[in-house]
Structures are given as structure tokens and as C-alpha cells.
Amino acid sequence: MEPNSLLWVGSPCGLHGPYIFYKAFRFHLEGKARILSLGDFFLVRCKAGDPICIAELQLVWEERTTKQLLSSSKLYFLPEDTPQDRNVTHGEDEVIAVSEKVIVKLEDLVKWMVADVSSWNKGLQAIPLKPTVLKELGKNGQREALHKYRESTLNSGLNFKDVLKEKAELGEDVEEKKVLVLSYPQYCRYRSIIARLRERPTSFLTDHVVLALGGIASLTNNTQILYCRDTFEHPTLVENESVCDEFGK
């Protein structure tokens, strides 16, 4: 790892041949320290002039012989940014996944990231946790306790406690917009339960409601929820200079 640039966060979570796998990494974006962990969603632009899309971090690892730091992500595009374009069958909160994972060096992934996400207005606005629940979490170290409510659909069985501890120490901008992509059944379930909750506003996102929602919860109302039920072949992604095809074979 180069000093003051990219740093692994937490302990390694796997070994395979020359590869050491990790759960998260720390980096700087426009002078601000950030941490991304497996299952996190974030906005990227694959190259200048391309539309903004959503990336889901799925794997990060180091190649021991070359010291290459690599990542594998799933990309999601708005229907209007795909070759098929948006049509009447697409939902307003729908995104379409690229059929193949994209493998890029960590340094290039950071370059792809969109620092200013304030203009992103797609997706269903998440309902935040009830103030009393937030207060209870605050007594135990609010951010670290959020392992119960991770804004992630990843169910890897990995222990993220060490990663969440570092995220808590780093702090996060609660006003910053976030995105979350669900499967279509998860999204339908979320909307159904939220619709029922609107009839009982005093119940808004307590512990048992969060469990009913499948663990989907947010500290604030700045999380936008979208869903994916289809894939497409991206016509030009393979030509992107940052994509490391040799590690995907």
C-alpha cells in the first residue's frame, strides 16, 4: 500500500493463490477521507462524457506478486442510458445492470467516483429510522451499531465489525446523498410496508419494522432506493482503458 493514498481497512477475509481479499479500503476523494466496503453503492462515471451510473463494490483484493490493488464491481445504469433506452415497461425507480462485472484497479475506481452527488435525484426516498431508535443507537456508538441496519444488500457472512469501527471513527456526512439498489421483490416489499406505515406514522422505522423491511434502513432521508430486475450488454465498456480484462478470465 502506498502511504497516504489507498489503505486496506480491516483484516483480510480470504486467500486464493496469489490473491489476498479484503472487506474495505480507505482513500481520499477531493481531499476528504472515505471508506468503501463490500456491498456499498456509490456513483461513478466510467469516463468523461459518459452518463453517471451506480456501482456496487463486490470484491477488493491485492495481487501479491505484482502488488496490484484491484476491485470488482457491478454497474447499474438508468434505462435511458442503455442501448435499449427507457420504455413504458420500466419503472421510475428502475436501473439495469451490466451483465458482466467490471474489474479495475482501485486507483482507477477512485478516479471514476463522482464527488458531488447532490444532483442525483433518481430513486425512492428512504424513510429514516425513528428518532427514539437513533437515540438508542447513539448511546452505543451510533455508526458502529449500524451493523444491524447496514445500507447494503450483501449477505456474505463476513464480520464487518472492524470495518464499521473505522467508519465510525472516520465519521460521515449525514447530509450526503446515498443510493441503494434492491432486487425487485425487495423493492416491492419495501414499498408495501412503507405504504402501510404511512397509516401509522408513530411506528416509523422502529427495530421490528426494520427487520420486516429486510434490514433496509437509513439514518437520514438522503438515501435513494432503486431496484434492478434486468441486465444488458454494455457496448463500449470493454474498450475502457481502466478495465482489467486479464483478471476477469
Side-chain angles (χ1 to χ4, degrees):
M1 279 287 178
E2 295 178 13
N4 303 319
S5 55
L6 299 166
L7 297 170
W8 295 126
V9 175
S11 57
C13 62
L15 293 170
H16 181 73
Y19 307 127
I20 309 174
F21 294 90
Y22 291 86
K23 295 173 285 191
F25 70 101
R26 181 173 178 151
F27 61 100
H28 283 79
L29 187 62
E30 294 196 343
K32 182 179 178 181
R34 298 169 185 247
I35 292 174
L36 270 184
S37 57
L38 302 184
D40 282 352
F41 294 87
F42 51 100
L43 298 180
V44 299
R45 193 190 300 274
C46 301
K47 66 178 181 181
D50 276 8
I52 292 176
C53 66
I54 299 170
E56 176 188 0
L57 190 64
Q58 296 190 323
L59 287 173
V60 287
W61 70 97
E62 182 170 345
E63 211 282 342
R64 284 185 284 187
T65 55
T66 63
K67 302 300 181 184
Q68 291 268 35
L69 312 181
L70 298 157
S71 69
S72 176
S73 301
K74 191 171 187 176
L75 300 182
Y76 302 87
F77 285 81
L78 295 170
E80 55 266 36
D81 295 326
T82 68
Q84 291 74 32
D85 207 348
R86 181 178 287 276
N87 59 53
V88 294
T89 66
H90 294 127
E92 62 177 343
D93 301 325
E94 185 167 3
V95 287
I96 304 176
V98 176
S99 54
E100 297 291 332
K101 63 190 176 185
V102 59
I103 297 175
V104 299
K105 296 176 183 177
L106 280 191
E107 61 188 82
D108 289 330
L109 185 67
V110 172
K111 291 175 184 176
W112 282 13
M113 290 181 195
V114 177
D116 182 8
V117 298
S118 59
S119 61
W120 180 268
N121 59 3
K122 305 295 184 180
L124 174 70
Q125 190 176 57
I127 303 298
L129 290 168
K130 195 176 179 182
T132 53
V133 177
L134 288 176
K135 185 177 180 181
E136 186 61 32
L137 288 176
K139 294 177 183 177
N140 304 308
Q142 180 172 296
R143 300 301 189 274
E144 188 175 347
L146 278 178
H147 68 275
K148 294 169 62 180
Y149 310 112
R150 283 193 75 225
E151 291 177 319
S152 164
T153 55
L154 187 74
N155 186 21
S156 62
L158 297 175
N159 185 343
F160 280 84
K161 189 173 181 180
D162 50 355
V163 173
L164 290 167
K165 184 175 185 296
E166 288 211 33
K167 280 190 173 185
E169 291 171 352
L170 184 63
E172 64 178 317
D173 185 354
V174 295
E175 298 302 318
E176 184 176 297
K177 199 168 286 187
K178 301 178 186 299
V179 290
L180 180 63
V181 179
L182 306 178
S183 67
Y184 188 54
Q186 285 176 315
Y187 173 84
C188 291
R189 182 181 184 183
Y190 185 87
R191 288 206 71 142
S192 173
I193 293 176
I194 291 300
R196 277 181 268 167
L197 282 176
R198 293 194 189 283
E199 300 172 8
R200 301 172 57 209
T202 55
S203 299
F204 262 46
L205 295 204
T206 56
D207 272 17
H208 67 282
V209 174
V210 170
L211 289 174
L213 289 170
I216 301 163
S218 176
L219 285 174
T220 72
N221 59 4
N222 291 325
T223 298
Q224 304 294 121
I225 294 179
L226 302 103
Y227 68 88
C228 179
R229 57 179 173 175
D230 202 0
T231 63
F232 76 103
E233 298 283 340
H234 196 290
T236 61
L237 196 58
V238 69
E239 301 166 11
N240 191 301
E241 294 179 355
S242 299
V243 175
C244 303
D245 273 346
E246 65 271 25
F247 292 102
K249 296 176 181 178

